[in-house]
């Protein structure tokens, strides 16, 4: 369809670098949509993001707010997240210490990644959308490495057990 001019770009949505590598065996997509946020930095740390850039693949980041977890009040988090409360508390303390909202910090982190072309976010209201649009500046000067976590039970919302 692309060669016939019906579509201009072909993309895939993945969860990790192994899925990217499997896809690249068969073809080179124009766009790859992938999860990335201050807690889930796997694709930065393993070199996948810069590699995709060298291939000329456009990266669209999703799960920027980790299904809203990064924005949630610590005291209102479901019991499931108790094992990670020290890390999540550290995140909120970091934001407070730097006088930035968790929303601004989460967006700024992804926005500061030169190999990410776009960020996809979900909103629940018009006011949220306005806040997101106002808080989309980049935060190059902060060190977000301290929040990187490889625990699938936290960074993969598909395995969350919230009742």
């Amino acid at each position: 369809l692309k060669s016939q001019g019906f579509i201009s770009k072909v993309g895939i949505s993945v969860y990790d670098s192994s899925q990217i590598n499997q896809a690249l065996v068969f073809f080179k997509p124009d766009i790859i949509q992938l999860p990335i946020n201050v807690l889930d930095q796997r694709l930065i740390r393993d070199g996948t993001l810069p590699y995709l850039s060298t291939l000329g693949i456009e990266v669209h980041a999703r799960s920027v707010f980790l299904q809203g977890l990064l924005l949630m009040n610590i005291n209102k988090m479901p019991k499931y997240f108790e094992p990670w409360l020290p890390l999540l508390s550290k995140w909120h303390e970091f934001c407070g210490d730097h006088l930035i909202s968790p929303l601004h910090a989460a967006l700024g982190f992804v926005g500061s990644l030169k190999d990410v072309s776009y960020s996809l976010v979900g909103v629940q209201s018009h006011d949220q959308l306005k806040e997101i649009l106002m808080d989309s500046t980049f935060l190059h000067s902060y060190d977000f490495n301290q929040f990187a976590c490889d625990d699938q039970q936290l960074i993969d919302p598909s395995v969350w057990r919230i009742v």
Side-chain angles (χ1 to χ4, degrees):
L1 292 174
K2 184 177 171 183
S3 65
Q4 294 173 0
F6 290 109
I7 58 174
S8 59
K9 295 182 181 180
V10 175
I12 60 173
S13 184
V14 300
Y15 290 94
D16 56 39
S17 58
S18 68
Q19 290 180 330
I20 293 169
N21 293 331
Q22 289 171 1
L24 290 175
V25 168
F26 297 102
F27 81 112
K28 187 185 98 175
D30 301 299
I31 301 168
I32 295 183
Q33 183 189 93
L34 48 80
I36 192 160
N37 55 66
V38 295
L39 298 183
D40 186 355
Q41 299 183 34
R42 295 170 297 157
L43 299 173
I44 299 168
R45 296 167 76 197
D46 71 5
T48 297
L49 278 184
Y51 175 64
L52 294 175
S53 183
T54 65
L55 296 176
I57 296 173
E58 193 174 293
V59 172
H60 294 197
R62 70 166 188 275
S63 203
V64 173
F65 303 135
L66 194 53
Q67 300 297 315
L69 180 64
L70 294 170
L71 311 181
M72 194 178 295
N73 182 310
I74 287 287
N75 300 320
K76 295 183 179 179
M77 288 184 180
K79 197 170 183 64
Y80 175 83
F81 298 106
E82 280 184 8
W84 304 283
L85 280 180
L87 177 61
L88 295 166
S89 294
K90 182 179 174 183
W91 161 248
H92 283 278
E93 288 169 16
F94 171 88
C95 293
D97 290 348
H98 291 89
L99 304 175
I100 53 177
S101 70
L103 183 142
H104 182 97
L107 280 174
F109 165 72
V110 175
S112 71
L113 301 172
K114 68 179 176 69
D115 297 318
V116 172
S117 302
Y118 296 98
S119 294
L120 306 167
V121 296
V123 297
Q124 294 176 326
S125 69
H126 183 261
D127 289 339
Q128 266 188 349
L129 178 59
K130 286 192 321 191
E131 184 181 1
I132 287 168
L133 293 174
M134 289 174 25
D135 269 345
S136 60
T137 55
F138 304 144
L139 299 173
H140 295 284
S141 60
Y142 295 110
D143 176 18
F144 292 99
N145 292 326
Q146 62 187 308
F147 303 110
C149 177
D150 292 326
D151 190 336
Q152 290 293 322
Q153 300 301 310
L154 176 61
I155 62 173
D156 183 353
S158 71
V159 300
W160 292 355
R161 300 295 172 242
I162 301 172
V163 286

